[in-house]
Amino acid sequence: MAKQMDYNTIREVFRRFHEADPEPKGELEHVNAYTLVVAVALSAQATDAGVNKATRSLFKVADTPEKMLELGEEGLVGHIKTIGLYRQKAKNVIKLSRILVDTYGGEVPNSRAALQSLPGVGRKTANVVLNMWWHYPAQAVDTHIFRVGNRTGIAPGKDVIAVERAIEDNVPADYQLHAHHWLILHGRYVCKARKPMCPNCIIRDICPYEEKTL
């Protein structure tokens, strides 16, 4: 774990991220708040690409909780069986769809607590939905962000909650909205777990990571 990066250096990191990609986007395909919740719930222990491949046909027939309930658990399984843990995920999607219909009139709630009360929706999923759909500066910490936050010292922490808090505390307010997308994309494509691509990194000269790859 690197020591905490100072504020001015963090600001420069995100200035460069912004300059390179002013409007970073999440890679999960969706058409509304409901399909975003479903896509993120399905993405646990799976790749975004794998989820997108499965949901392209699914969301053509079930893009609301009402339609998902009509499709049913077995019908849903037929669409998502290429995704890991598909049986449990199908059960959760049907359960959360029922709750959305019965409790929220078919609408997705915009509070973290309400989202986290849904089956299969944890804090990370709730934060993704709050950020991507309602543009709330919530920080969804996945393995990529956890690694980048600790490796660079931008947001060091021993667990995901600590890293989430560190991002909220350390990243300048004007970069908070897109912070988690920049960090995810940086971790996914540049600051990789096994072989970080340091020569191609736009923050290499200000990153304290000692084991920079050649």
Side-chain angles (χ1 to χ4, degrees), residues 28-32 34-40 42 51-52 54-64 67-68 71 76 79-80 93:
L28 284 173
E29 297 173 6
H30 59 283
V31 297
N32 53 32
Y34 172 71
T35 53
L36 178 58
V37 171
V38 172
V40 182
L42 293 176
V51 173
N52 289 338
T55 58
R56 282 178 195 135
S57 63
L58 172 63
F59 292 157
K60 288 180 181 178
V61 297
D63 60 356
T64 67
K67 291 178 183 177
M68 191 68 75
L71 181 64
L76 173 55
H79 286 275
I80 67 170
V93 169

Side-chain angles (χ1 to χ4, degrees), residues 151 190-192 195-205 207 209-214:
R151 185 181 276 173
V190 181
C191 198
K192 299 178 180 180
K195 292 184 178 180
M197 300 171 66
C198 297
N200 299 331
C201 178
I202 62 174
I203 63 169
R204 186 184 188 192
D205 59 310
C207 173
Y209 182 52
E210 294 180 357
E211 303 171 34
K212 289 188 173 76
T213 56
L214 301 175

Side-chain angles (χ1 to χ4, degrees), residues 7-211:
Y7 177 83
N8 289 333
T9 305
I10 292 175
R11 173 166 280 283
E12 175 60 16
V13 166
F14 284 93
R15 187 198 66 77
R16 294 183 190 185
F17 285 161
H18 177 268
E19 184 176 60
D21 186 3
E23 293 286 335
K25 297 286 190 289
E27 297 183 324
L28 284 173
E29 297 173 6
H30 59 283
V31 297
N32 53 32
Y34 172 71
T35 53
L36 178 58
V37 171
V38 172
V40 182
L42 293 176
S43 72
Q45 300 181 51
T47 65
D48 287 0
V51 173
N52 289 338
K53 187 175 181 180
T55 58
R56 282 178 195 135
S57 63
L58 172 63
F59 292 157
K60 288 180 181 178
V61 297
D63 60 356
T64 67
E66 292 86 356
K67 291 178 183 177
M68 191 68 75
L69 292 173
E70 288 178 12
L71 181 64
E73 187 175 322
E74 287 306 311
L76 173 55
V77 164
H79 286 275
I80 67 170
K81 58 187 176 183
T82 57
I83 300 174
L85 307 175
Y86 67 90
R87 282 284 177 190
Q88 184 58 49
K89 290 177 180 178
K91 291 181 186 298
N92 286 338
V93 169
I94 294 300
K95 287 179 181 177
L96 73 83
S97 298
R98 172 55 63 192
I99 292 171
L100 289 177
V101 170
D102 291 348
T103 307
Y104 298 101
E107 299 295 323
V108 175
N110 64 348
S111 84
R112 183 186 285 120
L115 286 166
Q116 285 188 248
S117 73
L118 300 174
V121 177
R123 186 179 182 89
K124 186 186 80 170
T125 298
N127 282 347
V128 170
V129 175
L130 290 171
N131 182 282
M132 290 181 63
W133 193 256
W134 282 288
H135 308 296
Y136 181 80
Q139 308 302 332
V141 178
D142 67 353
T143 55
H144 297 301
I145 292 183
F146 186 81
R147 178 177 66 256
V148 174
N150 279 291
R151 185 181 276 173
T152 63
I154 291 170
K158 293 182 178 180
D159 55 46
V160 294
I161 297 296
V163 171
E164 179 183 329
R165 293 280 184 261
I167 295 172
E168 293 173 346
D169 291 343
N170 302 334
V171 175
D174 46 330
Y175 293 124
Q176 285 276 336
L177 179 60
H178 294 312
H180 96 273
H181 280 134
W182 281 316
L183 292 170
I184 286 174
L185 295 170
H186 190 64
R188 184 174 289 165
Y189 297 112
V190 181
C191 198
K192 299 178 180 180
R194 294 184 180 179
K195 292 184 178 180
M197 300 171 66
C198 297
N200 299 331
C201 178
I202 62 174
I203 63 169
R204 186 184 188 192
D205 59 310
I206 55 176
C207 173
Y209 182 52
E210 294 180 357
E211 303 171 34

